Amino acid sequence: YFRRLSSFESLEFSSPSVQKDFIRLDEDLFTPLVGKKKIYTYETLDFWEQIKTPRMSLRCSSLYLKQYRLNTPKLLSNGDATVTANIIDDVYVHPSSKVHPTAKIGPNVSISANARIGPGVRLRECIILDDVEVQDNAIVMHAIIGWKSSIGKWARVQGQGKSGAKNGISIL
């Protein structure tokens, strides 16, 4: 049967001495199939990137924003008359989101549906998910802000932003 594990449970079950009642795709299924030459690959020249870590989520978001710039620039908020904030480089703002004109956003920012970005807010290298509120003068950098979160006035949520850093981003 299938069930979702918390990250803590996953660590707990990584010990070989612990009995488990689930299958890990990479270790329990794919590795034996590769050994028996019973698994195949599909090679593509299309855009594709593996996401294994939260840091990779930010990287992939950045890559998609670059793809939008090259292939469908109208999806980006650069020069979009509906977003009057200070936009730097590649930024996506969902049409249902509200962004204050004094906010400074970018580069590499994705803002999902129904987000509210207040006056003086600074967003850089981040993903803002649905129904998030970022209040006045808050700063969010190198971070993923989860659904229905609220960042208070003058708050700072900032990861290290170093690509080689083990814990380089903040997640809320």
Side-chain angles (χ1 to χ4, degrees):
Y1 68 94
F2 292 102
R3 73 181 181 93
R4 186 175 302 273
L5 294 178
S6 70
S7 55
F8 178 75
E9 286 177 308
S10 296
L11 286 174
E12 205 172 50
F13 287 122
S14 63
S15 168
S17 63
V18 175
Q19 192 71 294
K20 55 186 182 268
D21 60 349
F22 62 92
I23 295 174
R24 294 167 295 186
L25 285 177
D26 55 345
E27 294 178 30
D28 298 326
L29 186 63
F30 292 154
T31 301
L33 289 173
V34 168
K36 295 177 183 174
K37 297 187 181 198
K38 298 277 185 182
I39 195 167
Y40 302 92
T41 62
Y42 173 77
E43 195 171 325
T44 180
L45 298 176
D46 292 336
F47 175 72
W48 184 87
E49 181 77 37
Q50 183 178 16
I51 301 176
K52 280 191 160 186
T53 65
R55 155 94 18 232
M56 288 303 294
S57 295
L58 284 181
R59 175 171 158 66
C60 288
S61 177
S62 170
L63 291 172
Y64 266 103
L65 291 170
K66 285 178 186 167
Q67 283 291 110
Y68 290 163
R69 182 177 6 106
L70 297 173
N71 299 324
T72 48
K74 65 184 178 183
L75 290 175
L76 296 176
S77 298
N78 307 19
D80 183 353
T82 61
V83 178
T84 58
N86 183 2
I87 303 293
I88 301 167
D89 293 332
D90 298 333
V91 171
Y92 170 78
V93 178
H94 190 275
S96 66
S97 291
K98 307 257 185 286
V99 179
H100 194 274
T102 61
K104 186 174 183 180
I105 303 174
N108 301 322
V109 173
S110 294
I111 300 175
S112 297
N114 302 310
R116 295 164 315 283
I117 310 301
V121 166
R122 177 65 171 113
L123 302 178
R124 178 186 174 107
E125 306 278 347
C126 63
I127 298 171
I128 306 294
L129 296 177
D130 295 358
D131 301 306
V132 167
E133 178 182 25
V134 184
Q135 296 179 15
D136 307 7
N137 302 302
I139 297 173
V140 178
M141 299 171 70
H142 311 289
I144 299 172
I145 307 300
W147 302 276
K148 300 183 181 186
S149 295
S150 180
I151 309 295
K153 293 180 180 181
W154 294 98
R156 185 178 193 112
V157 179
Q158 182 176 354
Q160 294 173 341
K162 298 176 185 165
S163 60
K166 186 173 184 180
N167 298 315
I169 69 167
S170 293
I171 303 171
L172 179 62

